Amino acid sequence: MTTKEYLGQIRKLSLMVEAKLDERYRLMSLACRITVPTDGDRVKSTPDPDKMANAVEKIIKCEKEIDVLVENLLDKRKEIISQIDNLENPSAYGILTYRYVQFLSDKEIADKMDIAISAVYKIQKAALMEFEKKYGSIYLKKSDVMEKDRHKYSNL
């Protein structure tokens, strides 16, 4: 896992939560459209006579998945924010917070920090290197480090 992928986990988990919430909304909408015959003359139009119970079961399952995803998101968010907070360079802190916690674009970051977009790229590159140096041992595998070293020395 690269540093960008590690920091990007907050965004990915946020998107997963949003997708599950959309799924739950869709399931609830479908459940509201399910009709149950009330008279004695029933025409069986579906092989599943207990549609409502199945819909409710799917909604409950979806809500449990949402709970797990939200818990994972909050844990990962707390962990990464804590790591970013411990960086010594204020510019690195700002760039990584804006990019990976607040999900701002390069233009939005440049506007917020009152710098050129090219400066955003430069500061972000340095910030990622600082973050990796400090926390890379947590998420980088030996194969990632070896590949990075091989690439670094092949450019000499």
Side-chain angles (χ1 to χ4, degrees):
M1 174 181 298
T2 67
T3 302
K4 286 182 179 183
E5 291 169 338
Y6 177 77
L7 293 169
Q9 290 178 94
I10 296 174
R11 176 76 171 167
K12 182 179 179 184
L13 286 167
S14 295
L15 292 171
M16 291 170 71
V17 168
E18 285 179 36
K20 277 295 173 191
L21 289 170
D22 289 345
E23 181 181 343
R24 183 186 68 178
Y25 177 78
R26 185 186 59 78
L27 289 169
M28 292 178 95
S29 295
L30 286 172
C32 290
R33 285 189 258 158
I34 295 174
T35 58
V36 179
T38 56
D39 62 335
D41 298 331
R42 293 211 270 172
V43 176
K44 190 166 184 167
S45 62
T46 178
D48 186 3
D50 205 3
K51 253 179 143 177
M52 182 59 92
N54 288 338
V56 169
E57 185 178 311
K58 287 178 184 178
I59 291 168
I60 291 170
K61 181 182 176 197
C62 187
E63 287 180 345
K64 287 179 182 177
E65 291 171 357
I66 290 169
D67 289 343
V68 169
L69 283 172
V70 168
E71 188 174 320
N72 290 342
L73 170 61
L74 293 175
D75 289 345
K76 186 53 69 177
R77 184 178 171 85
K78 181 179 177 184
E79 175 186 333
I80 290 174
I81 288 173
S82 172
Q83 291 168 334
I84 292 172
D85 285 348
N86 287 322
L87 294 178
E88 294 173 22
N89 182 338
S91 294
Y93 168 81
I95 288 279
L96 296 180
T97 298
Y98 291 145
R99 166 76 67 225
Y100 295 102
V101 178
Q102 297 179 11
F103 317 128
L104 299 183
S105 69
D106 295 330
K107 172 90 171 85
E108 292 169 321
I109 294 170
D111 290 345
K112 249 195 191 318
M113 296 182 78
D114 198 28
I115 57 176
I117 290 179
S118 59
V120 170
Y121 300 141
K122 183 179 178 182
I123 295 168
Q124 181 176 292
K125 184 177 179 180
L128 289 169
M129 287 173 37
E130 180 182 342
F131 187 92
E132 186 174 306
K133 184 177 180 182
K134 191 163 188 166
Y135 297 107
S137 62
I138 295 170
Y139 58 87
L140 291 175
K141 297 181 285 191
K142 282 194 184 277
S143 60
D144 293 336
V145 173
M146 288 171 35
E147 178 65 27
K148 191 170 191 168
D149 286 344
R150 188 168 53 86
H151 185 274
K152 182 169 74 174
Y153 292 117
S154 68
N155 291 336
L156 297 179

